[in-house]
mmCIF file of all heavy atoms in Angstrom:
data_model
loop_
_atom_site.group_PDB
_atom_site.id
_atom_site.type_symbol
_atom_site.label_atom_id
_atom_site.label_comp_id
_atom_site.label_asym_id
_atom_site.label_seq_id
_atom_site.Cartn_x
_atom_site.Cartn_y
_atom_site.Cartn_z
ATOM 1 N N GLU A 61 78.143 114.030 95.506
ATOM 2 C CA GLU A 61 76.747 113.759 95.285
ATOM 3 C C GLU A 61 76.563 112.315 95.517
ATOM 4 O O GLU A 61 75.472 111.906 96.019
ATOM 5 C CB GLU A 61 76.437 114.071 93.721
ATOM 6 C CG GLU A 61 74.971 113.783 93.418
ATOM 7 C CD GLU A 61 74.604 114.241 91.964
ATOM 8 O OE1 GLU A 61 75.510 114.747 91.247
ATOM 9 O OE2 GLU A 61 73.531 113.929 91.566
ATOM 10 N N LEU A 62 77.483 111.426 95.185
ATOM 11 C CA LEU A 62 77.338 110.016 95.337
ATOM 12 C C LEU A 62 77.107 109.603 96.785
ATOM 13 O O LEU A 62 76.284 108.679 97.210
ATOM 14 C CB LEU A 62 78.548 109.218 94.794
ATOM 15 C CG LEU A 62 78.499 107.677 94.632
ATOM 16 C CD1 LEU A 62 77.532 107.281 93.606
ATOM 17 C CD2 LEU A 62 79.855 107.080 94.326
ATOM 18 N N VAL A 63 77.768 110.422 97.726
ATOM 19 C CA VAL A 63 77.790 110.080 99.204
ATOM 20 C C VAL A 63 76.763 111.093 99.837
ATOM 21 O O VAL A 63 76.644 111.200 101.006
ATOM 22 C CB VAL A 63 79.034 110.112 99.784
ATOM 23 C CG1 VAL A 63 79.907 108.979 99.270
ATOM 24 C CG2 VAL A 63 79.653 111.540 99.674
ATOM 25 N N GLY A 64 76.038 111.976 99.186
ATOM 26 C CA GLY A 64 75.003 112.790 99.735
ATOM 27 C C GLY A 64 75.523 113.990 100.508
ATOM 28 O O GLY A 64 74.818 114.511 101.312
ATOM 29 N N LEU A 65 76.700 114.449 100.020
ATOM 30 C CA LEU A 65 77.359 115.704 100.695
ATOM 31 C C LEU A 65 77.327 116.927 99.695
ATOM 32 O O LEU A 65 77.901 117.866 100.142
ATOM 33 C CB LEU A 65 78.721 115.278 101.090
ATOM 34 C CG LEU A 65 78.817 114.354 102.285
ATOM 35 C CD1 LEU A 65 80.266 114.031 102.555
ATOM 36 C CD2 LEU A 65 78.219 114.906 103.555
ATOM 37 N N GLU A 66 76.663 116.843 98.633
ATOM 38 C CA GLU A 66 76.672 117.991 97.596
ATOM 39 C C GLU A 66 76.102 119.299 98.149
ATOM 40 O O GLU A 66 76.553 120.314 97.741
ATOM 41 C CB GLU A 66 76.022 117.718 96.392
ATOM 42 C CG GLU A 66 74.506 117.598 96.418
ATOM 43 C CD GLU A 66 74.036 116.069 96.873
ATOM 44 O OE1 GLU A 66 74.894 115.399 97.339
ATOM 45 O OE2 GLU A 66 72.773 115.835 96.810
ATOM 46 N N ASP A 67 75.306 119.194 99.311
ATOM 47 C CA ASP A 67 74.569 120.337 99.763
ATOM 48 C C ASP A 67 75.618 121.030 100.809
ATOM 49 O O ASP A 67 75.423 122.245 101.250
ATOM 50 C CB ASP A 67 73.275 119.965 100.517
ATOM 51 C CG ASP A 67 73.410 118.923 101.662
ATOM 52 O OD1 ASP A 67 74.332 118.156 101.563
ATOM 53 O OD2 ASP A 67 72.650 118.976 102.572
ATOM 54 N N ARG A 68 76.723 120.339 101.233
ATOM 55 C CA ARG A 68 77.507 120.897 102.181
ATOM 56 C C ARG A 68 78.925 121.304 101.577
ATOM 57 O O ARG A 68 79.711 121.984 102.284
ATOM 58 C CB ARG A 68 77.881 119.875 103.322
ATOM 59 C CG ARG A 68 76.704 119.543 104.118
ATOM 60 C CD ARG A 68 77.139 118.551 105.269
ATOM 61 N NE ARG A 68 76.017 117.900 105.862
ATOM 62 C CZ ARG A 68 76.069 116.869 106.827
ATOM 63 N NH1 ARG A 68 77.265 116.464 107.195
ATOM 64 N NH2 ARG A 68 74.955 116.237 107.161
ATOM 65 N N ILE A 69 79.198 120.876 100.376
ATOM 66 C CA ILE A 69 80.497 121.089 99.802
ATOM 67 C C ILE A 69 80.232 121.851 98.399
ATOM 68 O O ILE A 69 79.578 121.409 97.496
ATOM 69 C CB ILE A 69 81.194 119.822 99.576
ATOM 70 C CG1 ILE A 69 81.419 119.087 100.820
ATOM 71 C CG2 ILE A 69 82.617 120.147 98.911
ATOM 72 C CD1 ILE A 69 81.978 117.767 100.595
ATOM 73 N N ALA A 70 80.963 123.138 98.345
ATOM 74 C CA ALA A 70 80.881 123.867 97.109
ATOM 75 C C ALA A 70 82.263 123.637 96.490
ATOM 76 O O ALA A 70 83.356 123.938 97.110
ATOM 77 C CB ALA A 70 80.574 125.218 97.376
ATOM 78 N N VAL A 71 82.373 123.156 95.276
ATOM 79 C CA VAL A 71 83.649 122.924 94.480
ATOM 80 C C VAL A 71 83.852 124.100 93.622
ATOM 81 O O VAL A 71 82.953 124.339 92.726
ATOM 82 C CB VAL A 71 83.593 121.689 93.864
ATOM 83 C CG1 VAL A 71 84.849 121.353 93.029
ATOM 84 C CG2 VAL A 71 83.356 120.502 94.747
ATOM 85 N N HIS A 72 85.075 124.643 93.625
ATOM 86 C CA HIS A 72 85.457 125.775 92.612
ATOM 87 C C HIS A 72 86.888 125.309 92.006
ATOM 88 O O HIS A 72 87.661 124.939 92.613
ATOM 89 C CB HIS A 72 85.602 127.030 93.536
ATOM 90 C CG HIS A 72 84.444 127.650 94.064
ATOM 91 N ND1 HIS A 72 83.718 128.616 93.550
ATOM 92 C CD2 HIS A 72 83.932 127.281 95.318
ATOM 93 C CE1 HIS A 72 82.584 128.854 94.398
ATOM 94 N NE2 HIS A 72 82.735 127.960 95.421
ATOM 95 N N ARG A 73 86.831 125.561 90.614
ATOM 96 C CA ARG A 73 88.084 125.386 89.973
ATOM 97 C C ARG A 73 88.765 126.859 90.096
ATOM 98 O O ARG A 73 88.295 127.736 89.453
ATOM 99 C CB ARG A 73 87.891 124.988 88.498
ATOM 100 C CG ARG A 73 89.183 124.753 87.798
ATOM 101 C CD ARG A 73 89.050 124.435 86.284
ATOM 102 N NE ARG A 73 90.378 124.313 85.725
ATOM 103 C CZ ARG A 73 90.490 124.349 84.475
ATOM 104 N NH1 ARG A 73 89.559 124.721 83.583
ATOM 105 N NH2 ARG A 73 91.771 124.198 83.872
ATOM 106 N N ALA A 74 89.896 126.802 90.703
ATOM 107 C CA ALA A 74 90.590 128.081 90.917
ATOM 108 C C ALA A 74 92.045 127.917 91.421
ATOM 109 O O ALA A 74 92.372 126.848 91.825
ATOM 110 C CB ALA A 74 89.818 129.033 91.937
ATOM 111 N N ASP A 75 92.774 128.934 91.296
ATOM 112 C CA ASP A 75 94.212 128.889 91.709
ATOM 113 C C ASP A 75 94.274 129.339 93.096
ATOM 114 O O ASP A 75 93.681 130.392 93.587
ATOM 115 C CB ASP A 75 94.963 130.045 90.863
ATOM 116 C CG ASP A 75 96.548 129.860 90.972
ATOM 117 O OD1 ASP A 75 97.045 129.426 92.112
ATOM 118 O OD2 ASP A 75 97.054 130.327 90.080
ATOM 119 N N VAL A 76 95.017 128.439 93.996
ATOM 120 C CA VAL A 76 95.224 128.748 95.261
ATOM 121 C C VAL A 76 95.934 129.862 95.641
ATOM 122 O O VAL A 76 95.998 130.532 96.736
ATOM 123 C CB VAL A 76 95.763 127.584 96.105
ATOM 124 C CG1 VAL A 76 94.809 126.323 96.111
ATOM 125 C CG2 VAL A 76 97.098 127.147 95.533
ATOM 126 N N THR A 77 96.730 130.417 94.680
ATOM 127 C CA THR A 77 97.418 131.765 94.833
ATOM 128 C C THR A 77 96.624 132.938 94.457
ATOM 129 O O THR A 77 97.048 134.080 94.541
ATOM 130 C CB THR A 77 98.726 131.681 94.067
ATOM 131 O OG1 THR A 77 98.578 131.632 92.686
ATOM 132 C CG2 THR A 77 99.673 130.478 94.477
ATOM 133 N N ALA A 78 95.415 132.841 93.930
ATOM 134 C CA ALA A 78 94.434 133.799 93.547
ATOM 135 C C ALA A 78 93.076 133.309 93.826
ATOM 136 O O ALA A 78 92.223 133.257 92.925
ATOM 137 C CB ALA A 78 94.674 134.254 92.127
ATOM 138 N N LEU A 79 92.830 133.210 95.199
ATOM 139 C CA LEU A 79 91.493 132.699 95.466
ATOM 140 C C LEU A 79 90.269 133.705 95.206
ATOM 141 O O LEU A 79 90.557 134.931 95.526
ATOM 142 C CB LEU A 79 91.540 132.355 97.034
ATOM 143 C CG LEU A 79 92.411 131.151 97.405
ATOM 144 C CD1 LEU A 79 92.624 131.126 98.987
ATOM 145 C CD2 LEU A 79 91.996 129.863 96.958
ATOM 146 N N PRO A 80 89.350 133.268 94.655
ATOM 147 C CA PRO A 80 88.012 134.061 94.347
ATOM 148 C C PRO A 80 87.098 134.269 95.459
ATOM 149 O O PRO A 80 85.875 134.189 95.282
ATOM 150 C CB PRO A 80 87.510 133.300 93.213
ATOM 151 C CG PRO A 80 87.624 131.800 93.506
ATOM 152 C CD PRO A 80 88.981 131.826 94.218
ATOM 153 N N PHE A 81 87.666 134.593 96.634
ATOM 154 C CA PHE A 81 86.766 134.889 97.783
ATOM 155 C C PHE A 81 87.234 136.213 98.547
ATOM 156 O O PHE A 81 88.400 136.658 98.396
ATOM 157 C CB PHE A 81 87.011 133.779 98.773
ATOM 158 C CG PHE A 81 86.864 132.360 98.235
ATOM 159 C CD1 PHE A 81 87.873 131.467 97.990
ATOM 160 C CD2 PHE A 81 85.600 132.000 97.656
ATOM 161 C CE1 PHE A 81 87.654 130.157 97.464
ATOM 162 C CE2 PHE A 81 85.421 130.809 97.060
ATOM 163 C CZ PHE A 81 86.495 129.889 97.000
ATOM 164 N N ALA A 82 86.254 136.784 99.277
ATOM 165 C CA ALA A 82 86.470 138.037 99.923
ATOM 166 C C ALA A 82 87.422 137.787 101.006
ATOM 167 O O ALA A 82 87.616 136.644 101.685
ATOM 168 C CB ALA A 82 85.283 138.662 100.351
ATOM 169 N N ASP A 83 88.092 138.870 101.476
ATOM 170 C CA ASP A 83 88.810 138.801 102.746
ATOM 171 C C ASP A 83 87.883 138.218 103.860
ATOM 172 O O ASP A 83 86.792 138.648 103.992
ATOM 173 C CB ASP A 83 89.339 140.308 103.176
ATOM 174 C CG ASP A 83 90.354 140.738 102.071
ATOM 175 O OD1 ASP A 83 90.621 140.123 101.085
ATOM 176 O OD2 ASP A 83 90.839 142.004 102.269
ATOM 177 N N GLY A 84 88.649 137.339 104.827
ATOM 178 C CA GLY A 84 87.850 136.958 105.961
ATOM 179 C C GLY A 84 86.712 136.074 105.735
ATOM 180 O O GLY A 84 85.793 136.133 106.572
ATOM 181 N N SER A 85 86.744 135.284 104.722
ATOM 182 C CA SER A 85 85.649 134.417 104.424
ATOM 183 C C SER A 85 85.553 133.163 105.073
ATOM 184 O O SER A 85 84.502 132.534 105.123
ATOM 185 C CB SER A 85 85.541 134.077 102.924
ATOM 186 O OG SER A 85 85.431 135.331 101.998
ATOM 187 N N PHE A 86 86.788 132.700 105.684
ATOM 188 C CA PHE A 86 86.771 131.456 106.289
ATOM 189 C C PHE A 86 87.358 131.424 107.695
ATOM 190 O O PHE A 86 88.139 132.302 108.040
ATOM 191 C CB PHE A 86 87.650 130.463 105.467
ATOM 192 C CG PHE A 86 87.094 130.331 104.026
ATOM 193 C CD1 PHE A 86 87.692 131.078 103.008
ATOM 194 C CD2 PHE A 86 85.873 129.480 103.837
ATOM 195 C CE1 PHE A 86 87.098 130.973 101.659
ATOM 196 C CE2 PHE A 86 85.498 129.354 102.395
ATOM 197 C CZ PHE A 86 86.114 130.157 101.315
ATOM 198 N N ASP A 87 86.884 130.518 108.544
ATOM 199 C CA ASP A 87 87.473 130.340 110.016
ATOM 200 C C ASP A 87 88.627 129.348 109.943
ATOM 201 O O ASP A 87 89.578 129.546 110.819
ATOM 202 C CB ASP A 87 86.359 129.767 110.813
ATOM 203 C CG ASP A 87 85.063 130.580 110.876
ATOM 204 O OD1 ASP A 87 85.175 131.791 111.155
ATOM 205 O OD2 ASP A 87 84.011 130.081 110.486
ATOM 206 N N VAL A 88 88.619 128.420 109.046
ATOM 207 C CA VAL A 88 89.832 127.435 109.009
ATOM 208 C C VAL A 88 90.126 127.151 107.558
ATOM 209 O O VAL A 88 89.254 126.917 106.647
ATOM 210 C CB VAL A 88 89.441 126.213 109.687
ATOM 211 C CG1 VAL A 88 90.485 125.127 109.710
ATOM 212 C CG2 VAL A 88 88.821 126.393 111.184
ATOM 213 N N ALA A 89 91.351 127.088 107.221
ATOM 214 C CA ALA A 89 91.744 126.663 105.865
ATOM 215 C C ALA A 89 92.705 125.391 105.962
ATOM 216 O O ALA A 89 93.564 125.526 106.750
ATOM 217 C CB ALA A 89 92.453 127.800 105.058
ATOM 218 N N PHE A 90 92.330 124.352 105.147
ATOM 219 C CA PHE A 90 93.219 123.252 105.091
ATOM 220 C C PHE A 90 94.053 123.357 103.832
ATOM 221 O O PHE A 90 93.641 123.667 102.753
ATOM 222 C CB PHE A 90 92.499 122.040 105.064
ATOM 223 C CG PHE A 90 91.798 121.583 106.409
ATOM 224 C CD1 PHE A 90 90.727 122.286 106.894
ATOM 225 C CD2 PHE A 90 92.312 120.515 107.243
ATOM 226 C CE1 PHE A 90 90.318 121.954 108.188
ATOM 227 C CE2 PHE A 90 91.923 120.236 108.327
ATOM 228 C CZ PHE A 90 90.647 120.790 108.843
#
Side-chain angles (χ1 to χ4, degrees):
E61 185 173 355
L62 194 67
V63 297
L65 291 172
E66 70 276 11
D67 60 330
R68 297 184 197 170
I69 303 172
V71 179
H72 297 261
R73 185 186 178 199
D75 188 336
V76 292
T77 66
L79 293 167
F81 310 115
D83 296 359
S85 295
F86 301 100
D87 302 301
V88 181
F90 283 76

